[in-house]
């Protein structure tokens, strides 16, 4: 597939970074972080590029990309929705909140809406147990949620 000039520039910047750090100890993680910063996620083409540039098996790059939660192998939405499924949130009804969010957004956990606005994630403890059940959209915390709160919250973010 032909690269746009913007993609070519990103690959050029990534290659330059790889050349700068590839002889340092443990270069794979910083290179993958830089690639995700540039591309927004780590598509298979970028993983292949990294493997070729480092002369390592592709499975090594893919293994790191899928093991660490900081890496995304699919595009993320403009707004990351994290519904806490930690113990306090779960026992106070987080599953109903998550189910409602799936319905309202029309996606399953780990997926992004077709319009690219939202990515839905089920997270572990967000550290707001006293406000359970809790979710975050970006850096905004929403607490003491009930499923009926979800449509209004999503509507406000869609309007932004």
């Amino acid at each position: 597939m032909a690269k746009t000039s913007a993609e070519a520039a990103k690959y050029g910047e990534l290659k330059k970074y790889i050349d700068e750090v590839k002889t340092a100890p443990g270069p794979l993680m910083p290179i993958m972080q830089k690639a995700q910063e540039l591309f927004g996620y780590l598509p298979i083409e970028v993983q292949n590029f990294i493997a070729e540039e480092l002369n390592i098996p592709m499975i090594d790059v893919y293994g790191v990309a899928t093991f660490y939660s900081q890496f995304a192998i699919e595009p993320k939405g403009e707004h990351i929705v994290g519904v806490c499924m930690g113990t306090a949130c779960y026992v106070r009804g987080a599953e109903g909140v998550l189910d409602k969010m799936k319905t309202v957004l029309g996606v399953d956990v780990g997926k992004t809406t077709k319009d690219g606005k939202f990515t839905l994630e089920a997270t572990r403890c967000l550290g707001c147990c006293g406000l359970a059940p809790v979710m975050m959209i970006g850096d905004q915390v929403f607490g003491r949620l009930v499923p009926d709160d979800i449509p209004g919250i999503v509507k406000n973010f869609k309007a932004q």
Side-chain angles (χ1 to χ4, degrees):
M1 174 167 44
K3 294 179 189 144
T4 66
S5 60
E7 287 174 322
K10 290 176 186 178
Y11 276 99
E13 188 174 340
L14 181 58
K15 169 116 175 76
K16 181 180 175 191
Y17 183 76
I18 291 170
D19 290 342
E20 290 172 6
V21 302
K22 70 180 174 185
T23 58
L28 183 57
M29 289 286 285
I31 289 169
M32 291 175 68
Q33 290 165 335
K34 180 67 171 182
Q36 185 160 284
E37 175 187 311
L38 290 168
F39 293 90
Y41 70 113
L42 297 173
I44 202 76
E45 299 83 11
V46 171
Q47 293 177 53
N48 274 319
F49 181 80
I50 292 169
E52 289 172 8
E53 290 296 316
L54 292 178
N55 196 29
I56 61 174
M58 166 57 184
I59 192 67
D60 290 355
V61 179
Y62 181 78
V64 171
T66 56
F67 180 80
Y68 292 101
S69 62
Q70 68 178 291
F71 296 119
I73 58 173
E74 291 185 17
K76 296 266 185 173
E78 180 182 335
H79 303 289
I80 308 301
V81 179
V83 179
C84 181
M85 298 302 285
T87 303
C89 288
Y90 189 83
V91 300
R92 292 187 180 148
E95 189 170 23
V97 171
L98 181 61
D99 288 344
K100 186 68 170 190
M101 187 59 81
K102 287 187 214 176
T103 300
V104 170
L105 294 179
V107 295
D108 283 325
V109 171
K111 300 297 180 184
T112 300
T113 57
K114 289 179 184 176
D115 63 4
K117 276 268 203 195
F118 300 93
T119 296
L120 180 58
E121 297 178 346
T123 65
R124 293 293 162 229
C125 186
L126 295 174
C128 304
C129 301
L131 299 175
V134 173
M135 77 173 175
M136 290 186 73
I137 301 180
D139 60 358
Q140 291 185 345
V141 176
F142 299 87
R144 296 187 180 96
L145 294 168
V146 295
D148 288 344
D149 294 334
I150 300 306
I153 293 170
V154 170
K155 182 179 178 183
N156 287 339
F157 275 87
K158 282 184 176 181
Q160 293 179 3

